[in-house]
Amino acid sequence: MNKYTKEINIPFYDGDANGNIRAENILKYFGEASSEETEKLVTEKDIKFNFGWMLYRWKVEIIEYPRVKEDVYARTWVSKFDRFYAFREFALLDKDKRILAKASTVWLCIDMDKKRPVRIPSEYSENIYGLDEPNFKNFYDFKDPLDINEFSKFKVRRSDIDYNNHVNNTKYLSWMIESMPDEIYDDYKLSYFEIIYKKEVRYGDTISTGFELETREDGILNFKHMISDFDGEVHSLGRTRWIKKN
């Protein structure tokens, strides 16, 4: 079925201090691939509409981190349309087409004038995309209670805002990672995460991000995360898995 692939040579500024790509930049590459595919298909089919897409959630597994200056391929396809929701899949491949990372996402169709969810137009569904298998079958429900006592505070900067005048979705992951203690960040690597977006964060807001240890296994740490505002209202929830570095 239809799959769109974008080739990328990882620039130095997308890497960390060890020369590996930052996790949030994998999300950035996935977003670039999906935007390019949508623009290409809409232009080819000459479809006119006035709606947009709001990212609702991520589920991502990072199998291996590519290094800067390597060629990688961001691949994307749609797995399902369900009323207001589109389910989009991603894979990051190396030059030998080995899967380095994979993701499943859920997007909400939004009427841009009324600023509310609408059913996905029929001419914009399977007719132009086609469907293929998802990477993941299920998402975490994020209903378990949280017990977070320590938070890090961040001021939303101009550089956090994307061309839609919203905080870019990759920033939420950056904030969650930034709040982790040095001993976790230095000795472990992020291998899996889920994020659900509940309320938009705006430029100038002060947000708090905190975490709690969920489970500890042999060389594996699982955490729950929360991003909230000054009034305690939750903007995003997350789960991360960190594995011990060799």
Side-chain angles (χ1 to χ4, degrees):
M1 303 296 286
N2 295 329
K3 291 186 178 180
Y4 183 82
T5 302
K6 176 180 176 63
E7 182 178 358
I8 302 161
N9 181 263
I10 302 173
F12 286 113
Y13 52 77
D14 280 350
D16 62 14
N18 297 312
N20 298 319
I21 190 174
R22 297 182 185 275
E24 55 266 35
N25 288 324
I26 294 177
L27 304 190
K28 182 180 73 173
Y29 296 170
F30 288 164
E32 286 290 323
S34 63
S35 296
E36 282 190 7
E37 183 195 31
T38 295
E39 183 178 354
K40 176 177 178 289
L41 292 175
V42 167
T43 301
E44 288 178 351
K45 300 294 183 178
D46 194 29
I47 296 174
K48 307 297 182 184
F49 46 72
N50 184 33
F51 70 88
W53 295 104
M54 183 179 74
L55 182 61
Y56 180 53
R57 63 187 309 159
W58 282 103
K59 183 171 184 175
V60 181
E61 179 185 3
I62 303 174
I63 301 164
E64 181 180 335
Y65 283 84
R67 296 185 60 79
V68 296
K69 304 313 294 177
E70 287 186 9
D71 291 326
V72 293
Y73 302 84
R75 179 167 293 169
T76 184
W77 66 97
V78 176
S79 60
K80 184 170 70 170
F81 292 100
D82 183 10
R83 299 173 299 165
F84 308 96
Y85 299 100
F87 294 74
R88 180 177 277 279
E89 313 298 323
F90 298 94
L92 189 70
L93 312 173
D94 67 8
K95 60 182 177 60
D96 298 318
K97 301 302 185 288
R98 293 186 305 121
I99 296 177
L100 305 174
K102 58 184 179 179
S104 293
T105 57
V106 182
W107 300 76
L108 186 60
C109 188
I110 300 293
D111 184 305
M112 300 305 290
D113 293 329
K114 299 178 181 179
K115 304 298 182 183
R116 67 184 185 188
V118 294
R119 283 186 175 271
I120 300 171
S122 58
E123 68 271 19
Y124 195 80
S125 55
E126 293 94 336
N127 295 330
I128 66 169
Y129 278 105
L131 302 178
D132 212 325
E133 289 297 310
N135 284 315
F136 301 102
K137 299 288 187 181
N138 300 301
F139 291 89
Y140 182 68
D141 60 17
F142 285 102
K143 292 182 179 179
D144 293 339
L146 294 171
D147 183 20
I148 299 175
N149 298 313
E150 293 189 22
F151 290 87
S152 300
K153 295 187 182 298
F154 296 94
K155 183 84 168 181
V156 179
R157 306 166 300 172
R158 292 187 182 94
S159 59
D160 296 329
I161 306 300
D162 62 20
Y163 76 99
N164 288 317
N165 204 31
H166 299 153
V167 172
N168 188 272
N169 68 81
T170 65
K171 297 298 180 181
Y172 294 75
L173 177 62
S174 297
W175 292 331
M176 292 177 185
I177 293 174
E178 187 66 27
S179 70
M180 301 301 291
D182 288 342
E183 59 267 26
I184 301 297
Y185 185 81
D186 293 340
D187 297 338
Y188 291 77
K189 59 182 178 180
L190 181 64
S191 67
Y192 161 90
F193 59 90
E194 287 194 58
I195 299 175
I196 187 169
Y197 303 93
K198 302 179 74 68
K199 184 181 177 183
E200 180 185 357
V201 177
R202 299 180 180 275
Y203 167 63
D205 289 347
T206 297
I207 59 97
S208 298
T209 176
F211 66 90
E212 66 167 309
L213 179 64
E214 182 180 15
T215 60
R216 181 191 296 269
E217 306 168 33
D218 184 22
I220 302 175
L221 302 176
N222 292 293
F223 294 91
K224 295 179 181 178
H225 301 259
M226 180 173 69
I227 293 174
S228 58
D229 60 20
F230 182 77
D231 297 320
E233 186 166 7
V234 177
H235 288 255
S236 181
L237 296 169
R239 296 176 81 219
T240 61
R241 178 177 299 135
W242 299 73
I243 60 176
K244 188 80 171 179
K245 294 179 180 177
N246 294 329

